[in-house]
Amino acid sequence: MAAETQAATPAAKAGGPNHGLRIFLIWIVLALAADLVLWFVLGPHIPPGRLGSAAQGQQFDNNVMIAMSAPVLVLVLVYFTYAIVVWRRRPGDDADGPPLHGHSRIQALWITVTSVMVLSLAAFGTYELIVPYGAGGGEGPSPIWNPPGAELTAAAQQRPWAPGHVLVVQVIGQQWRFTYRYPGLGGFETTELVLPVNTMIQFDVTSIDVIHSFWAYQLGVKADANPGVDNVAYTKTQHLGRVTVRCAELCGLWHGAMFNYGKVVTVPQFQAWASSTSVALADVTKLLPPYSTTYDPTEIAHLGPVLQKLGLTGAGGGYYPPQDPSQP
Amino acid sequence: MSLPVRVGTLLVAFLAVVGGAIFVVIHYLLAGPPTVDFTSQAAPGQPVHIVLQEAPQTTVSDRPDWVSYFIQDPASHQWVHTTLFKVPAGSMIDVTVLGYDGCTPLRNPFWGKISGTVGNVEYVNGKPTQVLNSWGECSVAHTFSIPGIGLNVPIASPTTLAANNNLCGTSPCTSGPHTTVTFSFKAPATPGSYFWQCRIPCGLGFLDGFGGPMQTIGYMTGEMEVAG
Ligand SMILES: [Cu+2]
Ligand SMILES: [Cu+2]
C-alpha cells in the first residue's frame, strides 16, 4: 500500500498512466475470479467434508476464510508482478526513484479495512461456535450450547433410544483403543462405532487412563478424553459414509496406532446392528460397571471381591499396593 | 601449550564426543529385543505353533522386577526374552500361553471378553471360555491383544490365593503354579507390522501401573510381523 502511493502520485502528476487504478482493476477481476473458483470448484472438497453437521459448518468456515484471504494474496501478487514489469530499471536509467510520501487517506483506509475484517471474523467465529452447538468441539461436562433433546445426566442417557431422538454415544479412551458405549440401547460397550443417519449424536467423551483425544474427522468432532471428566460434543449425521477416528493426544507408546473406522448407516441398519451386538456382547455387558458419565476403575467398590481374594482389602484405598503411585 | 599438544587435545575431545554418540545410538536406539521367526517352521497350509509365557518378573534382564512375556524359539525350544515374532501371512496361528503370573483386575472389564480367535473362544486348561470376570474373580493376569485385527485374549491366572502367593521366582519360569491357555487365530492376509499389547496396567511401581513394562517392547507389548 505504501508503495502504491509512491507509484500513483508522481506518474499521475506527470500525465502518465494511473497505476493505482490499473492495479485496482487487475486485482478486482482476478480476485473475483479466484473467489468464484475457490468457492464453487474447490469449496465442496475442503476438509473435513459434510458427513456431520459440525463438519459441514467447519467446511463453510474454512471456505469463508479462504474467500476472504484469497483477494489479499491476489493483491500482493498483482502488485508484485506489476512492479516487476512496469517499474523495472530501464537500460541507461541511473536516476533515483521518486521520494516516498505518506498518504493519510490510504493509511486510514488500510487500517479501517483490516480492522473491519478482523472484527467481523471474530463475530462470525463466535456465531459459528455457538449456533451449531459448539461446532463439534468438546464443551466439557456442562455444555452451554445444547441441541434440543440433549441428554445431560446419566439417568436421561439410559432412557431407551428411539429414531429421531438424540443418540448418546459414550467414547471411552484407553491405551490404545477407543471403545463406545450405547447407554440408550442397553448399555453395551463395543470397539465399533456405528451411527444412524440424520440423527443428532451426542458424544460423551471420557478416559479411564491417560489423556486421549477423540477426533472423528469426517464428523467434525474433536474432544479431549480426560480421566474423570465427561466431555460432551455434538454433531448431526447427514449422509451415509465412513468415519476415521484417531487419537489426537500423544498418549504413550502406541498412540500412533490408536485409530479405528466407524460408519454412518441407515436407521434400520443401525437398529439391527444394535440389537445383534447387544445380544452378542450380553455376557460381557453384565460385567461392566453400571453406566456412568465417568469411571474410576480403581474404585474399591467395583473390585471388592477380587481384591479381598488377593488379600488387598483396600488398605491403600485402591487397585495398587499403597506404596505405588496413582493419580490423585 | 604447543601446537601438537593443542591439536592432540582437540582430537581426543572430538573422538570422545563422537564415540559417546555412537555408543548411545548403538546401545540405546538400535538395540532391541530379537524377533522369533515362525515362518521357516511353517509347512504350507499347516498351522503355526507359538508358545508364550507370562513371567511375574524378568530376572534375565536389567529390569528384574518387571513382568514380562517370553517367546519359545520353535527350533531350540529356548525361551527368548522378546515380544517380537514373525508369522506367514494368512496362516492359522495356534497359540499356547503359559500363565505363570498372578491375577490383577482389568482396567476395563470389557476386555474380559475373548474376541478375534477361532470361535471367539480360548481354552483355559482345556476348558472353552468366552469371557473372564476379572472384577468378580481372581481370574486374569494379562491380556494378549492385537487391536489391528480385533484380537483380544485375556490370559487366565492361577485362581487361588495360595497359588498367587507362591508364583515362580526366576524367569523364564519352568515350574510353579500356572494356567495353560490355548487359542487360534488367523494371521492377516496383508503383510505388515501389527502391534500387540497387554490391557492390564501391570507396571507396578509406575503411576497407575501404566509405565515400565506396559510401554516397553520386550515386556508387555510387542509386534507381530506378518511376512508375505
Ligand atoms: Cu490416545
Ligand atoms: Cu500385563
Side-chain angles (χ1 to χ4, degrees):
Chain A
M1 276 315 202
E4 199 174 325
T5 65
Q6 166 204 15
T9 21
K13 268 183 205 143
N18 186 336
H19 295 295
L21 183 66
R22 274 198 198 171
I23 291 172
F24 175 76
L25 290 175
I26 297 172
W27 169 71
I28 196 99
V29 171
L30 290 181
L32 194 66
D35 266 358
L36 289 173
V37 169
L38 289 170
W39 188 272
F40 290 104
V41 180
L42 194 65
H45 306 288
I46 290 294
R50 296 179 178 182
L51 191 63
S53 58
Q56 183 166 356
Q58 291 162 21
Q59 187 187 64
F60 176 75
D61 301 345
N62 286 339
N63 279 324
V64 166
M65 281 190 284
I66 289 169
M68 288 184 81
S69 52
V72 177
L73 176 69
V74 171
L75 177 63
V76 171
L77 293 177
V78 164
Y79 189 86
F80 189 54
T81 315
Y82 190 91
I84 288 175
V85 172
V86 178
W87 295 317
R88 71 184 186 278
R89 181 184 159 275
R90 317 276 160 180
D93 176 8
D94 288 332
D96 274 348
L100 286 169
H101 300 281
H103 192 300
S104 44
R105 235 177 44 217
I106 286 182
Q107 287 165 354
L109 184 72
W110 181 255
I111 291 169
T112 310
V113 168
T114 49
S115 303
V116 167
M117 277 176 80
V118 170
L119 291 176
S120 52
L121 274 176
F124 172 75
T126 309
Y127 177 85
E128 283 291 275
L129 177 67
I130 295 172
V131 172
Y133 319 118
E139 293 188 53
S142 322
I144 49 175
W145 306 308
N146 299 297
E151 309 280 18
L152 295 173
T153 63
Q157 291 167 5
Q158 289 177 87
R159 280 200 295 261
W161 178 78
H165 289 80
V166 172
L167 175 71
V168 177
V169 179
Q170 182 173 54
V171 179
I172 304 169
Q174 59 225 280
Q175 286 175 332
W176 290 278
R177 194 80 157 99
F178 287 111
T179 54
Y180 306 95
R181 203 165 173 185
Y182 291 79
L185 292 152
F188 65 85
E189 182 175 343
T190 166
T191 53
E192 289 179 87
L193 176 63
V194 179
L195 302 170
V197 75
N198 294 325
T199 303
M200 180 58 77
I201 310 292
Q202 175 185 331
F203 288 109
D204 281 63
V205 182
T206 189
S207 166
I208 51 172
D209 45 46
V210 299
I211 302 174
H212 303 269
S213 179
F214 173 68
W215 180 24
Y217 174 75
Q218 292 88 344
L219 293 174
V221 170
K222 198 176 197 185
D224 278 353
N226 291 275
V229 177
D230 173 29
N231 194 7
V232 179
Y234 301 103
T235 196
K236 187 175 180 194
T237 52
Q238 306 196 124
H239 55 81
L240 309 181
R242 195 159 98 130
V243 183
T244 312
V245 175
R246 287 190 173 279
C247 177
E249 183 74 54
L250 187 58
C251 62
L253 183 65
W254 297 112
H255 160 69
M258 188 167 167
F259 63 90
N260 66 280
Y261 298 100
K263 57 188 173 184
V264 178
V265 299
T266 64
V267 172
Q269 282 171 338
F270 173 74
Q271 288 174 306
W273 169 81
S275 53
S276 66
T277 306
S278 170
V279 170
L281 293 173
D283 56 354
V284 71
T285 302
K286 66 174 195 273
L287 303 181
L288 300 179
Y291 178 80
S292 162
T293 51
T294 61
Y295 301 94
D296 179 0
T298 63
E299 209 182 293
I300 213 80
H302 298 312
L303 301 168
V306 66
L307 293 184
Q308 273 161 24
K309 198 162 187 179
L310 285 172
L312 294 170
T313 45
Y319 190 80
Y320 297 104
Q323 70 272 18
D324 281 359
S326 68
Q327 294 197 49
Chain B
M1 250 193 289
S2 68
L3 187 66
V5 173
R6 277 189 290 173
V7 171
T9 314
L10 192 66
L11 209 62
V12 169
F14 176 75
L15 289 177
V17 171
V18 170
I22 292 173
F23 173 78
V24 166
V25 167
I26 292 178
H27 191 78
Y28 293 104
L29 302 183
L30 297 182
T35 300
V36 179
D37 189 351
F38 291 91
T39 53
S40 48
Q41 169 225 16
Q46 291 299 304
V48 175
H49 294 276
I50 296 185
V51 184
L52 306 166
Q53 75 160 268
E54 294 166 349
Q57 66 282 308
T58 322
T59 45
V60 289
S61 78
D62 55 358
R63 304 283 184 196
D65 54 343
W66 286 13
V67 287
S68 187
Y69 271 94
F70 285 78
I71 303 179
Q72 195 173 52
D73 185 284
S76 67
H77 296 278
Q78 295 292 307
W79 289 107
V80 185
H81 180 226
T82 185
T83 50
L84 306 176
F85 61 95
K86 190 166 156 185
V87 296
S91 53
M92 184 59 72
I93 317 284
D94 292 344
V95 184
T96 301
V97 185
L98 306 175
Y100 282 100
D101 200 8
C103 66
T104 311
L106 276 158
R107 189 89 182 168
N108 181 352
F110 173 71
W111 301 114
K113 174 91 180 154
I114 291 98
S115 72
T117 63
V118 174
N120 289 326
V121 104
E122 74 177 58
Y123 295 86
V124 178
N125 299 326
K127 180 170 166 265
T129 305
Q130 288 184 310
V131 66
L132 284 164
N133 179 0
S134 80
W135 282 14
E137 302 144 22
C138 173
S139 57
V140 181
H142 302 275
T143 81
F144 182 84
S145 305
I146 310 180
I149 56 171
L151 182 84
N152 180 61
V153 187
I155 306 297
S157 65
T159 52
T160 63
L161 187 56
N164 275 274
N165 286 336
N166 198 19
L167 299 169
C168 112
T170 4
S171 52
C173 299
T174 47
S175 64
H178 68 280
T179 54
T180 303
V181 172
T182 57
F183 58 94
S184 301
F185 70 98
K186 192 112 193 281
T190 324
S193 216
Y194 295 78
F195 87 88
W196 68 272
Q197 66 170 105
C198 166
R199 292 201 176 278
I200 289 189
C202 52
L204 274 188
F206 293 89
L207 182 64
D208 280 348
F210 287 120
M214 289 296 286
Q215 309 280 340
T216 309
I217 290 174
Y219 292 84
M220 275 291 138
T221 183
E223 282 179 283
M224 172 176 76
E225 195 185 327
V226 174

